[in-house]
Amino acid sequence: MPVHNQFLLVNGGLNAQALATRGPILQVEIHLPTPLAQHYQNVGTPLPQPTVGLAMVDTGASKTCVDGIVIASMAVPPLNQVQIYTPAGPTSQYLYPARVFFPGTPLPSIDFSSVIGSQLSAQGIVALIGRDVLQHFLLVYNGPAGMFSLSC
């Protein structure tokens, strides 16, 4: 069972407040979904570089989201539009296929048939890891220790 433990350090030491302030974040790489990458390779189209950034584990998100600018930069065509509900109210967002890697962890990469393209860059993240992923993982949020664990 792969397990990833994430400690948030401040000035070289554990800091429980850092986890409460920043949330459970980990590094991710956003790639083309495997079928689209294979198609690009078959027709000789160069693959776009993956985007590296931070993702936040979000138990309030029913579906994983990727920053729309990141997906657009990879020229991934949208699949459909869906109505989503945010604290600011309902809005319509595009769905895109994507593949997410968790570099530096033993967690497996995930090929998504669809993620929601959202405006996330202002929050300093490129993705939200939603309950569609968490249903396959064990998440432990240890506030007093300033750490969280993900395992599958």
Side-chain angles (χ1 to χ4, degrees), residues 2 6 8 15 17-18 26 29 39 70-71 94 113 117-118 131 146:
Q6 182 79 39
L8 296 177
N15 185 314
Q17 188 59 40
L26 68 159
E29 287 182 4
H39 172 72
V70 168
I71 290 289
Y94 287 106
S113 57
S118 297
R131 294 189 310 267

Side-chain angles (χ1 to χ4, degrees), residues 36-79:
L36 186 56
Q38 289 172 342
H39 172 72
Y40 278 21
Q41 288 175 333
N42 291 342
V43 298
T45 302
L47 297 178
Q49 290 295 314
T51 297
V52 177
L54 296 175
M56 181 179 292
V57 176
D58 185 352
T59 62
S62 59
K63 192 165 182 62
T64 295
C65 302
V66 171
D67 187 77
I69 295 171
V70 168
I71 290 289
S73 73
M74 299 174 75
V76 176
L79 301 168

Side-chain angles (χ1 to χ4, degrees), residues 12 18 25 28 38 40-41 44 52 54 73 77 81 83 87 89-91 94-95 102 126 128 130 134 136 147:
I25 57 171
V28 293
Q38 289 172 342
Y40 278 21
Q41 288 175 333
V52 177
L54 296 175
S73 73
Q81 268 189 311
Q83 185 85 0
T91 184
Y94 287 106
L95 293 175
F102 303 95
V126 298
L128 289 175
L134 294 176
H136 304 289
M147 56 121 10

Side-chain angles (χ1 to χ4, degrees), residues 8 15-25 141-143 145-148:
L8 296 177
N15 185 314
Q17 188 59 40
L19 179 60
T21 300
R22 185 70 176 141
I25 57 171
Y141 183 99
N142 187 336
M147 56 121 10
F148 71 95

Side-chain angles (χ1 to χ4, degrees), residues 69-140:
I69 295 171
V70 168
I71 290 289
S73 73
M74 299 174 75
V76 176
L79 301 168
N80 202 353
Q81 268 189 311
V82 293
Q83 185 85 0
I84 64 167
Y85 300 90
T86 71
T91 184
S92 186
Q93 300 286 343
Y94 287 106
L95 293 175
Y96 299 90
R99 185 167 191 183
V100 177
F101 285 81
F102 303 95
T105 79
L107 301 174
S109 65
I110 301 172
D111 250 319
F112 290 93
S113 57
S114 68
V115 296
I116 298 171
S118 297
Q119 296 174 342
L120 301 172
S121 59
Q123 299 175 51
I125 57 176
V126 298
L128 289 175
I129 305 301
R131 294 189 310 267
D132 56 339
V133 171
L134 294 176
Q135 72 180 342
H136 304 289
F137 283 71
L138 171 65
L139 168 65
V140 176

